[in-house]
Amino acid sequence: MQLVDAAEDIRSMRVHGAGRIARHAAEAMATHAQALVAEASSLESYRNALAEAVRTLLATRPTAVSLGNALRSIERAVESDVDSVKELKAHVVETSNAFCTLSLAAVETIGAIGAKRIHDGDRIQTHCNSKAAMAPLKAAFDAGRRFAVQATETRPKHQGYKTAAELAGHGLDVTLIVDSAVRFFMSTIDAVFVGADTVCADGTLVNKIGTSQIALAAHEHNVPFYVCAESYKFSPRTLHGDEVTIEERDRSEIIDPDRLPGVRLQNPVFDFTPPRYITALITERGMIPPQAAYDIVREL
Ligand code: RUB
């Protein structure tokens, strides 16, 4: 995998979802670190080329902190005090691979923890296409529980189609609904499971646009709203007052602008859900109240 191709995979959303883009970037760094060895004229030039690769991948999508957290741990490896290109390569490859292993294990643990909140006969709503949010659903199904899932379509990119297909392929009972039907169905729902692009130090969730409306409807109906988030999705920078940038993607994702002359189109693709609407954050370190996000951020 060429680094430029990996960056384009992420920018174009051929690869999407906070965990997947972070793993894709880490894998790309491991491959790149190996490929660059042959043309490295010195340790310094090799180090500079790797730092440039980190910057290229960081610039692909702005919102998911998983990408920044993964790449910054690799950046620290790039900056480490070593004596040779061979040593630096080994360190970068090892750090990149370790991130991917840790990430996949975290999703599995979240599945095991979250599955305990899914019971026979439940109706679960989910939004967008989150590996972490699907993990408890699959784990509960694998444990023999039978329940129904409503997946939102997720305009404008329709990531919900993937969720519906993946869960149905796993054997689950899945219904696809349009995003605007969420509140209509909420009185029949037992729990909502969503993923996270970023969790702020105060427990605010940043996730796919529309997540906050689902949380509000769940709150109105006293329906538990669970956020499945690996700890590398927590943002240490928000502790220092940094704001999370909400990605605004091309307006043509909504509709061909030529079909609506004179109409402005806006396409923010993530939104903020306040902690008061979140029942619990399900992390690989355990199920915690959103107010405890601060502790995880401090540990990071
Ligand atoms: C995906 C999205 C997902 C989170 C979590 O947005 O909002 O809920 O990224 O996903 P997009 P995961 O499709 O724009 O990347 O749990 O797989 O990391």
Side-chain angles (χ1 to χ4, degrees):
M1 173 174 42
Q2 295 275 344
L3 190 104
V4 280
D5 296 335
E8 189 49 30
D9 285 344
I10 297 172
R11 197 176 295 114
S12 67
M13 290 181 63
R14 264 194 302 276
V15 175
H16 66 97
R20 278 157 284 168
I21 63 175
R23 288 190 291 274
H24 200 63
E27 281 164 12
M29 282 304 299
T31 310
H32 196 58
Q34 295 176 71
L36 279 184
V37 169
E39 55 200 67
S41 55
S42 68
L43 176 58
E44 197 55 22
S45 67
Y46 182 63
R47 206 190 286 281
N48 288 342
L50 290 176
E52 177 63 30
V54 166
R55 285 193 290 276
T56 300
L57 290 165
L58 264 178
T60 51
R61 291 193 77 188
T63 301
V65 75
S66 51
L67 186 65
N69 283 345
L71 285 169
R72 266 183 278 278
S73 71
I74 296 168
E75 192 173 42
R76 280 194 292 279
V78 170
E79 288 163 0
S80 60
D81 189 14
V82 291
D83 295 326
S84 67
V85 166
K86 198 172 159 211
E87 256 183 279
L88 189 56
K89 181 202 77 177
H91 195 29
V92 169
V93 170
E94 191 186 317
T95 307
S96 306
N97 290 343
F99 173 79
C100 294
T101 306
L102 173 147
S103 167
L104 292 172
V107 172
E108 199 175 325
T109 305
I110 286 170
I113 296 173
K116 295 178 188 167
R117 294 301 172 105
I118 299 172
H119 311 101
D120 272 324
D122 275 358
R123 288 164 65 99
I124 309 290
Q125 244 180 28
T126 188
H127 185 49
C128 197
N129 180 241
S130 160
K131 290 282 177 198
M134 283 191 282
L137 309 182
K138 289 182 182 176
F141 180 84
D142 293 344
R145 267 157 267 154
R146 293 296 172 258
F147 52 93
V149 179
Q150 272 186 359
T152 57
E153 195 179 30
T154 318
R155 281 273 298 153
K157 294 284 276 182
H158 301 116
Q159 291 94 323
Y161 295 176
K162 281 193 182 172
T163 301
E166 184 169 336
L167 293 178
H170 200 84
L172 278 78
D173 171 349
V174 188
T175 304
L176 188 79
I177 60 171
V178 297
D179 302 327
S180 44
V182 158
R183 186 164 176 263
F184 175 81
F185 285 114
M186 193 55 82
S187 61
T188 68
I189 294 295
D190 297 290
V192 177
F193 282 77
V194 295
D197 279 83
T198 292
V199 179
C200 304
D202 71 347
T204 297
L205 165 68
V206 184
N207 193 50
K208 180 53 54 191
I209 192 82
T211 301
S212 64
Q213 290 172 176
I214 302 175
L216 190 59
H219 182 73
E220 179 192 27
H221 288 86
N222 281 318
V223 172
F225 183 89
Y226 297 113
V227 177
C228 302
E230 307 89 298
S231 54
Y232 56 83
K233 293 183 181 160
F234 288 63
S235 167
R237 290 183 168 206
T238 56
L239 193 58
H240 302 289
D242 284 26
E243 292 177 346
V244 177
T245 305
I246 297 293
E247 179 181 9
E248 177 107 22
R249 291 187 66 86
D250 200 280
R251 59 199 183 129
S252 63
E253 286 184 356
I254 303 177
I255 188 171
D256 176 357
D258 293 342
R259 288 179 55 192
L260 290 174
V263 176
R264 201 178 306 117
L265 296 167
Q266 282 195 285
N267 187 21
V269 299
F270 298 101
D271 68 15
F272 297 99
T273 300
R276 65 181 177 280
Y277 299 147
I278 297 170
T279 306
L281 301 171
I282 305 176
T283 80
E284 77 277 18
R285 300 176 186 203
M287 186 180 280
I288 59 169
Q291 293 74 17
Y294 173 76
D295 299 326
I296 294 208
V297 167
R298 269 186 63 109
E299 275 177 45
L300 286 174

